Amino acid sequence: MLHLRLITPADRTAEVLGLLEKTVGTAHLAVVPGAARDPQGDLVMCDVAREAGDELLAGLRDLGIDECGSVAVENIDLSMSHRAERAEKAAPGEGADAVLWEQLTDATHEESTLSVTYIAFLTLATMIAACGVVLDNAILIVGAMAVGPEFGPLAGFCTAVIRRAPRLAMRSLVALIAGFAAAMLVTVGFSLFMDAVNLFELSMLKAERPNTSFIYNPDWFSFVVALLAGTAGMLSLTSSKSGALVGVAISVTTVPAAANAAVAFSYSYYGQAWGSTEQLLLNLLGIVLAGTLTLLAQKFFWAGKRRRAAPVETG
């Protein structure tokens, strides 16, 4: 269930209540007239089944409540109410399958911001991965994958494509390109420093690395895994199963590939640098393709659910 807290101008409250009352899956409707001070208006609260939330939020936006008032949405972890149970049964579909497009857009917009924190995490992850590829240490590679924040901009780009939001798409693309460019540039300097203090050597990069050689040898399996990870990642975001994102992060080779390319470039070992770059681009392409197709499939799935659940008008 979701909890909605609305601030509506007094002259718009009746419209909002009409929308809430006719939406299948709502419960616990409460109105406190004149309670809001900034902006002035009435406080309206209700609970709604997650599977009915996206349609309701779209209706509130159509009424302009996001402009003249306020719309806040919270997840309800526990609701002990027979009315809530009836509302969830009445709403079409399952809550775990529902997509809240407004929430997804807001979350990916925040995760796609080119901030100091984002660049710091991506840079640190790339440097950890650099140590992992030189030492052929799979544990360090997995740790670097988990630290990397690059799935945020990737998810933002997929969402922007489906919602036809060019500003979000450009924001995500800038964060992705600039973030990896900065991380790889710093990692080149880090590699040169580690070489200067005799912790990195070219021979270590050229040696057989059974645990990490896949990073600079892309193949069809790399693309298939990226497709699977992109699908799982988008499903975890849309269903609020955020724990699955950790598994997604350690399934793809974006950060390790960027790290290996940076280290190889610092030694002018261009063959391995290009192979790593191919791996990076292949993973990014697979994730974006799978994420976009997953969102598109969910969009059509829920559109069909709504059409089947809509009451048939008889003349």
Side-chain angles (χ1 to χ4, degrees):
M1 293 289 287
L2 303 171
H3 177 68
L4 270 64
R5 186 181 70 252
L6 315 174
I7 294 178
T8 66
D11 59 343
R12 306 295 302 279
T13 301
E15 290 180 273
V16 172
L17 292 178
L19 174 64
L20 295 176
E21 289 171 344
K22 75 176 183 181
T23 299
V24 177
T26 57
H28 311 140
L29 179 59
V31 182
V32 186
R37 291 291 179 266
D38 185 19
Q40 288 190 344
D42 301 331
L43 177 62
V44 180
M45 296 174 287
C46 74
D47 297 337
V48 60
R50 181 181 173 85
E51 51 268 42
D54 186 62
E55 186 175 4
L56 178 55
L57 291 174
L60 291 170
R61 184 179 283 277
D62 290 340
L63 291 176
I65 303 304
D66 57 320
E67 297 178 358
C68 64
S70 170
V71 180
V73 183
E74 299 174 337
N75 285 307
I76 300 176
D77 295 327
L78 175 64
S79 179
M80 300 174 64
S81 166
H82 289 297
R83 288 181 179 273
E85 292 176 3
R86 289 198 298 268
E88 288 185 315
K89 290 179 181 178
E94 295 293 331
D97 298 331
V99 180
L100 295 178
W101 291 101
E102 295 290 344
Q103 184 183 57
L104 179 63
T105 302
D106 184 69
T108 53
H109 183 276
E110 181 180 348
E111 293 295 326
S112 302
T113 301
L114 185 62
S115 63
V116 174
T117 301
Y118 167 78
I119 293 177
F121 270 113
L122 189 55
T123 301
L124 290 170
T126 308
M127 289 193 292
I128 293 171
C131 296
V133 296
V134 171
L135 297 174
D136 194 33
N137 189 314
I139 295 176
L140 291 177
I141 295 297
V142 171
M145 290 175 173
V147 172
E150 73 280 7
F151 191 78
L154 290 169
F157 187 81
C158 297
T159 304
V161 171
I162 297 299
R163 304 216 70 186
R164 298 177 183 178
R167 292 182 63 183
L168 177 58
M170 183 57 65
R171 185 189 188 100
S172 302
L173 199 59
V174 168
L176 199 63
I177 295 174
F180 269 111
M184 292 174 72
L185 184 61
V186 173
T187 303
V188 168
F190 173 72
S191 178
L192 293 173
F193 169 78
M194 295 292 279
D195 179 78
V197 296
N198 297 320
L199 291 177
F200 282 7
E201 294 179 2
L202 178 59
S203 60
M204 300 169 73
L205 200 65
K206 290 183 174 181
E208 290 188 12
R209 291 183 281 153
N211 292 322
T212 57
S213 60
F214 68 94
I215 293 172
Y216 53 89
N217 289 310
D219 53 22
W220 280 107
F221 277 106
S222 302
F223 188 64
V224 169
V225 171
L227 289 174
L228 297 175
T231 302
M234 292 311 305
L235 286 174
S236 70
L237 283 179
T238 56
S239 63
S240 297
K241 304 294 184 183
S242 58
L245 281 176
V246 177
V248 172
I250 61 177
S251 299
V252 291
T253 326
T254 49
V255 167
N260 200 85
V263 175
F265 185 82
S266 70
Y267 283 112
S268 300
Y269 197 24
Y270 298 120
Q272 200 171 112
W274 175 242
S276 303
T277 303
E278 284 185 317
Q279 180 75 274
L280 173 62
L281 296 176
L282 195 64
N283 275 266
L284 294 176
L285 176 62
I287 293 172
V288 168
L289 180 61
T292 303
L293 291 177
T294 299
L295 289 178
L296 189 63
Q298 289 179 298
K299 184 176 182 179
F300 281 113
F301 172 78
W302 274 101
K305 280 277 188 182
R306 287 171 181 168
R307 283 195 299 268
R308 291 192 294 272
V312 179
E313 295 184 2
T314 57

